[in-house]
């Protein structure tokens, strides 16, 4: 968007929180007695999958749209995401009377296209890959002056996602460890900046799937790298971090205490536990915190908060996972 500062501070996040107040839900946080029994620590679940549009992405998208100048807002916003960012941007733009254009390839399933349209966006179907959809975004920015709102590597987006961290601190001031689902790192960077800004002793741990963890691979070698993408139950955690990453790589490197990778079977177990025990429907990406706690993967100090980041899962897939399937392949084979 505009000139990017090098990082996002808790003051930026407080400003974002004031800006988006009333436009996003303040989501509940609840204790989990069963996870407390299993882990011996006080465990709270931050029910962000209740957020409007089904994920925390509405926070960042709303802050980005509200941060535009009137002239930018009049030209409209654009993105290439068909997932939770696309939904969020469609909703956020419509709520402010702006036009969002979402570019997608013709391979995107009709139900996803319909959902983005229902939320009020203009849909442009171009080419047969995500790269071609992104090229169309670049063209609309260059030729029509539309403003691209990226899914994670943007100061306004990170500050918006960070408002989730502020809420956690307000709801459980003594929190010692926060478990954050991690992909491009907008959520983890924002939440860590907020939580550590308020309490520097608190730990923030990023969790992602073994299959195609671009941020983890990049942190391991010290600069952004590409990794091969494989289908995962945590499909919202797929995708790269951008070889020209400006903000989230450095923030995750500097602020996260650890990053852990989860196998598919553990993510499936997390979704199953969320449903059968906590009575919550979450997508794979939203289940990684519960998954890591159940698998005993984390050495952590309590109280711990696991962020349930989204609920946008295909319900046929969800039913099969709840009934015992442990991977996307098994789901396809079933
Ligand atoms: C986008 C997303 C994530 C990961 O967020 P990043 O900012 O890309 O790290 C996690 N969970 C859900 C449900 C998401 O939609």
């Amino acid at each position: 968007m505009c000139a990017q500062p090098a990082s996002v501070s808790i003051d930026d996040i407080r400003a974002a929180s004031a800006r988006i107040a009333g436009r996003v839900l303040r989501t509940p946080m609840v204790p989990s007695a069963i996870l407390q029994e299993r882990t011996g620590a006080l465990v709270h679940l931050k029910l962000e999958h209740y957020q409007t549009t089904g994920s925390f992405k509405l926070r960042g998208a709303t802050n980005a749209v509200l941060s535009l100048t009137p002239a930018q807002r009049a030209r409209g916003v654009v993105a290439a995401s068909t997932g939770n960012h696309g939904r969020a941007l469609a909703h956020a733009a419509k709520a402010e009377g702006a036009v969002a254009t979402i570019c997608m390839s013709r391979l995107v399933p009709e139900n996803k296209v319909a959902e983005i349209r229902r939320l009020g966006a203009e849909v442009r179907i171009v080419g047969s890959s995500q790269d071609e959809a992104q090229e169309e975004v670049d063209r609309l920015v260059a030729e029509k002056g539309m403003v691209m709102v990226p899914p994670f590597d943007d100061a306004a987006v990170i500050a918006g996602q960070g408002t989730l961290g502020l809420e956690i601190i307000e709801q459980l001031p003594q929190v010692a460890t926060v478990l954050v689902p991690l992909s491009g790192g907008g959520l983890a960077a924002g939440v860590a900046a907020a939580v550590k800004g308020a309490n520097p002793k608190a730990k923030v741990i990023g969790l992602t799937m073994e299959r195609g963890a671009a941020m983890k691979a990049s942190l391991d070698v010290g600069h952004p790298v590409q990794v091969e993408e494989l289908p995962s139950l945590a499909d919202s955690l797929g995708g790269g971090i951008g070889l020209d990453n400006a903000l989230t790589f450095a923030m995750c490197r500097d602020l996260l205490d650890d990053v852990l990778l989860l196998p598919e079977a553990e993510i499936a177990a997390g979704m199953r536990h969320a449903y059968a025990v906590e009575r919550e429907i979450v997508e794979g990406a939203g289940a990684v915190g519960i998954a890591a706690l159940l698998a005993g993967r984390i050495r952590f100090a309590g109280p711990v908060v696991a962020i349930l980041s989204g609920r946008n899962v295909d319900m046929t897939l969800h039913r099969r996972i709840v009934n015992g399937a442990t991977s996307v392949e098994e789901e396809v084979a079933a």
Side-chain angles (χ1 to χ4, degrees):
M1 294 178 49
C2 319
Q4 293 273 352
S7 189
V8 173
S9 71
I10 191 168
D11 292 333
D12 301 323
I13 298 168
R14 290 201 177 103
S17 178
R19 203 175 287 123
I20 69 177
R23 290 170 160 95
V24 305
L25 298 177
R26 182 182 169 87
T27 53
M29 183 135 87
V30 295
S32 166
I34 305 234
L35 286 171
Q36 177 166 0
E37 280 169 28
R38 293 274 196 105
T39 60
L42 190 63
V43 178
H44 278 69
L45 304 176
K46 175 66 168 161
L47 306 182
E48 183 68 10
H49 60 304
Y50 291 3
Q51 188 55 261
T52 308
T53 71
S55 84
F56 70 88
K57 293 265 189 349
L58 188 64
R59 296 173 183 267
T62 299
N63 191 47
V65 169
L66 291 174
S67 301
L68 298 175
T69 64
Q72 286 175 318
R73 198 180 291 194
R75 293 199 298 269
V77 291
V78 62
S81 162
T82 60
N84 288 335
H85 176 61
R87 291 174 198 235
L89 188 60
H91 180 96
K94 184 164 190 219
E96 304 312 321
V99 177
T101 302
I102 307 294
C103 302
M104 49 184 89
S105 95
R106 76 176 103 79
L107 300 183
V108 171
E110 185 50 42
N111 61 333
K112 284 201 170 185
V113 180
E115 173 69 4
I116 301 258
R117 277 214 182 94
R118 188 186 68 75
L119 289 164
E122 305 256 332
V123 171
R124 269 186 191 238
I125 314 271
V126 270
S128 52
S129 71
Q130 180 69 14
D131 286 349
E132 284 176 80
Q134 184 57 47
E135 282 166 22
E136 178 70 2
V137 170
D138 297 341
R139 195 184 68 75
L140 292 170
V141 170
E143 291 177 13
K144 310 258 186 225
M146 290 184 192
V147 180
M148 180 174 74
V149 178
F152 52 86
D153 198 24
D154 176 273
V157 170
I158 297 168
Q161 320 304 31
T163 62
L164 183 49
L166 286 186
E167 279 181 26
I168 290 173
I169 289 285
E170 284 161 18
Q171 291 168 320
L172 191 71
Q174 72 274 32
V175 62
T177 307
V178 181
L179 307 180
V180 193
L182 172 67
S183 175
L187 179 64
V191 166
V195 168
K196 297 198 165 196
N199 176 4
K201 287 213 193 82
K203 304 269 188 253
V204 180
I205 299 175
L207 299 170
T208 192
M209 73 290 198
E210 274 177 358
R211 298 187 150 196
M215 182 62 85
K216 169 73 173 154
S218 301
L219 292 170
D220 285 348
V221 299
H223 59 88
V225 291
Q226 260 167 340
V227 299
E228 189 196 350
E229 266 192 69
L230 297 162
S232 168
L233 283 173
D235 55 330
S236 290
L237 301 183
I241 68 165
L243 292 177
D244 53 355
N245 188 291
L247 292 167
T248 58
F249 171 74
M251 288 183 72
C252 287
R253 179 194 62 206
D254 297 347
L255 295 172
L256 294 184
D257 295 281
D258 206 351
V259 174
L260 295 175
L261 304 184
L262 301 176
E264 294 298 297
E266 289 180 10
I267 297 173
M271 292 171 77
R272 207 173 294 124
H273 174 97
Y275 182 71
V277 180
E278 313 291 347
R279 313 293 165 116
E280 301 294 345
I281 294 172
V282 292
E283 56 179 288
V288 292
I290 291 177
L293 290 170
L294 286 175
R297 275 190 183 271
I298 310 174
R299 289 185 165 275
F300 64 88
V304 59
V305 171
I307 297 174
L308 278 47
S309 55
R311 63 157 186 238
N312 291 322
V313 54
D314 177 88
M315 287 310 286
T316 306
L317 170 63
H318 187 266
R319 203 173 312 124
R320 289 188 186 159
I321 295 297
V322 164
N323 287 333
T326 54
S327 72
V328 213
E329 280 82 9
E330 214 172 312
E331 132 72 13
V332 171

